[in-house]
Amino acid sequence: MRPVRILNAAPRLYRLHLRLSIHRPLVRWQSTEITKPASSGDKPYYVTTPIFYVNAAPHIGHLYTLILADIIKRWRVLKGEKAILCTGVDEHGMKVQRAAAQLNIDTQSFCDQGAEMFQKLARTANISYDHFVRTTDPSHGDVVQYVWNRLADEGHIYLSTHEGWYSVSDETFHPKSNVQLMKDPQTGRTMMASKETGSEVEWISESNYFFRLSAFRQRLLEFYRTHPSHVLPGFRTDEVVQHLETGLDDLSISRPSQRLSWGVRVPGDETQTIYVWFDALINYLVKAGYPWAPADAEARGWPVDCHVVGKEIVRFHAVYWPAILMALHLPLPKQILAHGHWTLGHRKMSKSVGNVVNPFFAIHRFDADTIRFYMAYDGGITDDADYDNGFVIRRYKCELQNALGNLTSRITRGKRWNVKEAVQFGRQHNIGSGELHDLWQSTRVEDMPATVDGLMKDLQINRALQHIMAQINETNKYLQMTSPWTMDADTNAEADARIKVIVYLSAEALRVSGILLQPFVPDKAALLLDMLGVARDRRDLSSASFGADDSYGASVVDLGKGHQNVLFPPLRSDE
C-alpha cells in the first residue's frame, strides 16, 4: 500500500501555545553555549539512546547502546539520584516507507511491529527505560511542528533548491568528496556509494527547506574550545572540531512529500515533509516535556546529561543538534558518549552480508546478565569490538563462574565458619593492625567505590567493570593464600580469630562488589547480595564502603549444594 503520513497538528499546536501563554512566556536562555549544572537538586539525570529505525530487526549494536545507557542510569540511581532513561524508535523516513512497500504492508502496521520488537528487546535485556519514543505518536509530531514554527519565526529556515548525492540507507546527503564508484559486495553491481558507510547514493535535485546551520559554525567552534570533553572519547571531539573548521553548509531539513509521504508535514506547506533526522532529534525535547514554562525545564530533566550514540551518528548529535538548540535558545546537552561498533569476524556487521548477531538469540542462550556483562566488559568505547560466542563463554567461565561465582560459594558455603559471626567479629576488632596482606585486602576494598565512581563519572564503563572484577580476582588470591579452610578453629582460639578476619575481609569484598555490580548485572548482583544476607535498604552506593554494614551474613536464599543454586551454574553448552 502507498504510505500516507499527513500529520498536521495546527489545532493541537494552537492549544499548546495557548496553554503556555496563560502561564508565562516560553523560557529563553541567552547564553546557550555554556552548559551549566542544575541549580537545584530536583533535576533528574537524563540519559538517552538514539531512537532506532524500525525498517529492520534489532541487532547486537542496538543492544550495546541500550546496555551502556542503562548502566549509566542505574549507576545514578545507585548514588541516590533521580534518573531518566529515554529510548525508542524512529518510524519515519524514506527507508521505513520503502521497507513497508516492499513487504506490501500498511506502513503504520509495519511500524507497530518494529516498535514492539525494540520494546521486547529492552524488556528482555532488563533495560530500565522510563520513556519509549514513537515518532508516529501525535504528541511527537505536535512538538516537531512547534519547533519548526519557532525556528521559522526567527528566520532560521528558508526555501531553496538543493541537489546532491542522497543515501536512503543513511537518510542523509553526502558531499561529492565523500562518494565514489564501488561494487556491491553481494551482487557485483557497480554503484555510487558513500566512502564512509558504503551505502548506495542517488543524485537528487529538488526544492527543500533549509536550516541556516552555517550561521552557527563559529558558535559551535567556541563551544568545543571551551568544552573539549563534550564528546567522549576526547578524540571524537577533535574530529567534530576538524569537521567544523573545514566549513559548514546549511542543512536541508525537508523532502518533497511526493517522494517522501511518511513523516511529519512542514507546517503550512503540504508539499514538503520534515527531514527524518530533524524530526528524530526533537524526541529528546518531547520526552522532557517541551515546550515548558521556565520553572519546569530542570525538573523535567533538561538539559540532557548524556546522549549515548554510535560513532556513525556523532555529526547529527554534535553539530546539527546543538545548532538547533542554540537557535531555540535552549541549554545544550552536557555530554555525548560515542561508542564503537561491534564486528563479527573483524568485519562490520551488515544485514546484506548476513553477518548480523541476533540479540534475542544471544540472550536466550546465555541469559541477559551474561550478555550485559560481556558487552560492558569487552565492548569498544574507543575502538570497535569483535563479537564471538567463544568470547562470551570464556568471559563467563573466567570472570563470572570461576572468579565471582567461586568466591561467593567459598565464602557463603564454608563449613568451618559462619559469615554472620565473622562480620560481627570483624566490626569489633581493628583488623588493620593485623598482617600485611590483610591490610592490603582491606585497603583495596576501601578504595574500590571511589575508583569505580570516578571511572563512571568519566563514562569509562568498561574500565569501571574491569576494576570491580580485578578486585574480585585479588580477593580470590588473598583467600587462596590465607587458606582458612586449613585452620583448626575448634581447638585453637587464635586460629578461630584468624579465620574470622579472613572471612570478614573476603565477605566485605563480595558485599561491596555486589553493590557496585548492580547497574551492570542487576539480577545476579541482587542474588549475590541475597546470598550474603544484605538488607534491601543497604544496597546503595553510600553502603558500599568498608565496614559500613554489620547486619549481613545470614543468607536469605537457599545456598544449595554442588551446582545447585550456585550464582553462576555451568553453561548448558560450550559450543
Side-chain angles (χ1 to χ4, degrees):
M1 298 180 64
R2 187 177 69 85
V4 178
R5 173 70 173 158
I6 302 175
L7 200 162
N8 191 327
R12 289 192 298 272
L13 287 170
Y14 174 76
R15 292 195 294 272
L16 199 59
H17 275 289
L18 184 62
R19 175 170 57 84
L20 284 162
S21 62
I22 289 173
H23 294 87
R24 280 177 266 194
L26 281 172
V27 61
R28 184 182 180 91
W29 280 266
Q30 297 301 323
S31 181
T32 60
E33 292 84 4
I34 300 176
T35 304
K36 296 181 180 180
S39 58
S40 80
D42 292 332
K43 181 193 177 305
Y45 186 94
Y46 186 16
V47 58
T48 72
T49 74
I51 51 176
F52 307 115
Y53 283 120
V54 296
N55 65 299
H59 57 67
I60 207 76
H62 298 129
L63 177 59
Y64 183 50
T65 307
L66 285 165
I67 289 171
L68 290 179
D70 187 57
I71 290 170
I72 293 169
K73 184 228 170 157
R74 287 178 183 268
W75 186 264
R76 291 290 170 165
V77 173
L78 188 71
K79 295 181 70 171
E81 301 176 19
K82 300 175 185 175
I84 298 169
L85 170 55
C86 181
T87 188
V89 289
D90 188 349
E91 302 168 281
H92 290 149
M94 185 69 71
K95 59 185 177 182
V96 173
Q97 176 177 300
R98 288 186 178 180
Q102 287 170 0
L103 295 172
N104 196 28
I105 298 176
D106 171 73
T107 314
Q108 185 62 61
S109 298
F110 178 78
C111 290
D112 292 342
Q113 294 171 19
E116 173 53 32
M117 286 292 286
F118 279 95
Q119 283 184 298
K120 182 180 178 182
L121 177 62
R123 293 192 300 268
T124 304
N126 201 3
I127 305 300
S128 58
Y129 66 87
D130 300 274
H131 300 300
F132 190 89
V133 175
R134 293 194 61 180
T135 56
T136 56
D137 285 344
S139 59
H140 175 85
D142 289 354
V143 180
V144 170
Q145 291 191 323
Y146 177 83
V147 168
W148 181 285
N149 283 332
R150 286 207 62 194
L151 295 176
D153 289 346
E154 296 202 15
H156 296 300
I157 294 176
Y158 64 94
L159 183 65
S160 183
T161 300
H162 182 65
E163 60 181 16
W165 292 105
Y166 188 77
S167 167
V168 173
S169 177
D170 300 333
E171 293 281 14
T172 190
F173 281 97
H174 288 283
K176 294 179 181 178
S177 60
N178 194 39
V179 299
Q180 64 182 16
L181 281 172
M182 293 184 183
K183 284 194 174 182
D184 188 316
Q186 290 296 101
T187 66
R189 180 174 60 89
T190 301
M191 62 183 187
M192 290 296 290
S194 163
K195 294 178 183 178
E196 181 183 359
T197 66
S199 301
E200 184 172 6
V201 297
E202 55 187 286
W203 185 261
I204 290 177
S205 179
E206 60 192 20
S207 293
N208 297 153
Y209 286 93
F210 284 77
F211 171 65
R212 298 184 191 276
L213 181 64
S214 59
F216 295 90
R217 175 176 170 269
Q218 195 57 42
R219 292 170 69 181
L220 287 167
L221 281 169
E222 291 172 2
F223 173 78
Y224 282 108
R225 288 185 185 118
T226 56
H227 297 79
S229 298
H230 183 69
V231 185
L232 295 175
F235 71 85
R236 301 208 192 278
T237 298
D238 297 338
E239 292 172 351
V240 171
V241 171
Q242 290 170 11
H243 174 73
L244 291 169
E245 287 176 340
T246 62
L248 205 57
D249 295 329
D250 288 347
L251 179 65
S252 171
I253 56 171
S254 74
R255 304 289 181 263
S257 54
Q258 184 178 10
R259 185 165 68 88
L260 174 61
S261 59
W262 187 251
V264 180
R265 286 290 191 267
V266 169
D269 188 349
E270 290 295 314
T271 69
Q272 293 281 320
T273 301
I274 294 174
Y275 172 45
V276 65
W277 264 104
F278 182 93
D279 171 354
L281 288 166
I282 304 303
N283 93 86
Y284 305 126
L285 284 170
V286 174
K287 292 307 180 182
Y290 183 81
W292 47 63
D296 294 340
E298 288 189 352
R300 292 176 178 269
W302 198 264
V304 169
D305 291 274
C306 182
H307 286 306
V308 181
V309 302
K311 65 180 183 180
E312 76 283 359
I313 56 173
V314 168
R315 174 165 46 102
F316 299 94
H317 287 81
V319 178
Y320 302 165
W321 182 223
I324 292 169
L325 291 172
M326 287 175 178
L328 291 170
H329 311 286
L330 296 176
L332 305 190
K334 296 181 180 180
Q335 209 145 44
I336 300 170
L337 176 62
H339 61 76
H341 291 154
W342 281 89
T343 60
L344 190 65
H346 301 287
R347 295 180 63 192
K348 182 180 178 181
M349 293 188 192
S350 168
K351 183 181 178 183
S352 61
V353 176
N355 65 338
V356 176
V357 176
N358 185 316
F360 294 103
F361 291 172
I363 293 173
H364 176 73
R365 177 173 180 179
F366 296 110
D367 79 38
D369 275 355
T370 299
I371 293 298
R372 287 174 65 106
F373 181 91
Y374 167 68
M375 300 197 81
Y377 195 101
D378 287 330
I381 301 293
T382 301
D383 302 308
D384 293 345
D386 200 48
Y387 184 93
D388 190 290
N389 284 335
F391 298 160
V392 182
I393 292 169
R394 190 179 313 154
R395 196 60 71 196
Y396 182 88
K397 287 186 172 182
C398 293
E399 302 296 337
L400 296 177
Q401 189 178 47
N402 293 343
L404 182 55
N406 188 45
L407 178 62
T408 303
S409 292
R410 278 178 153 184
I411 293 301
T412 59
R413 290 178 168 186
K415 295 180 180 179
R416 296 198 176 193
W417 57 77
N418 178 286
V419 177
K420 183 77 172 179
E421 292 177 2
V423 170
Q424 295 301 315
F425 182 90
R427 289 280 289 156
Q428 296 166 9
H429 293 77
N430 183 14
I431 60 173
S433 62
E435 299 187 25
L436 185 59
H437 40 259
D438 294 345
L439 179 59
W440 287 344
Q441 174 66 10
S442 63
T443 300
R444 281 194 294 267
V445 178
E446 288 173 352
D447 293 344
M448 180 165 45
T451 300
V452 175
D453 189 40
L455 291 168
M456 288 298 298
K457 182 180 179 181
D458 293 338
L459 301 178
Q460 298 186 59
I461 296 168
N462 52 350
R463 288 189 59 196
L465 180 56
Q466 290 162 11
H467 184 78
I468 298 170
M469 295 310 300
Q471 307 317 305
I472 291 294
N473 283 309
E474 288 299 320
T475 301
N476 269 313
K477 293 177 184 177
Y478 166 77
L479 193 61
Q480 189 65 35
M481 179 180 61
T482 53
S483 301
W485 49 84
T486 65
M487 301 176 187
D488 187 0
D490 294 334
T491 60
N492 189 325
E494 185 177 342
D496 180 58
R498 184 82 193 107
I499 289 172
K500 288 176 179 175
V501 167
I502 295 167
V503 171
Y504 174 62
L505 289 173
S506 301
E508 275 294 272
L510 269 177
R511 181 185 68 83
V512 172
S513 296
I515 291 173
L516 300 181
L517 283 170
Q518 290 175 105
F520 301 90
V521 286
D523 289 342
K524 289 295 185 180
L527 178 57
L528 166 59
L529 296 172
D530 284 345
M531 288 174 153
L532 290 171
V534 178
R536 294 300 174 97
D537 61 352
R538 296 199 175 187
R539 299 185 180 188
D540 59 354
L541 192 61
S542 65
S543 300
S545 57
F546 185 81
D549 186 0
D550 62 357
S551 65
Y552 76 99
S555 176
V556 296
V557 294
D558 181 9
L559 296 173
K561 295 180 180 180
H563 293 319
Q564 181 189 16
N565 297 348
V566 294
L567 188 58
F568 294 100
L571 291 172
R572 290 173 293 178
S573 171
D574 289 347
E575 297 176 2

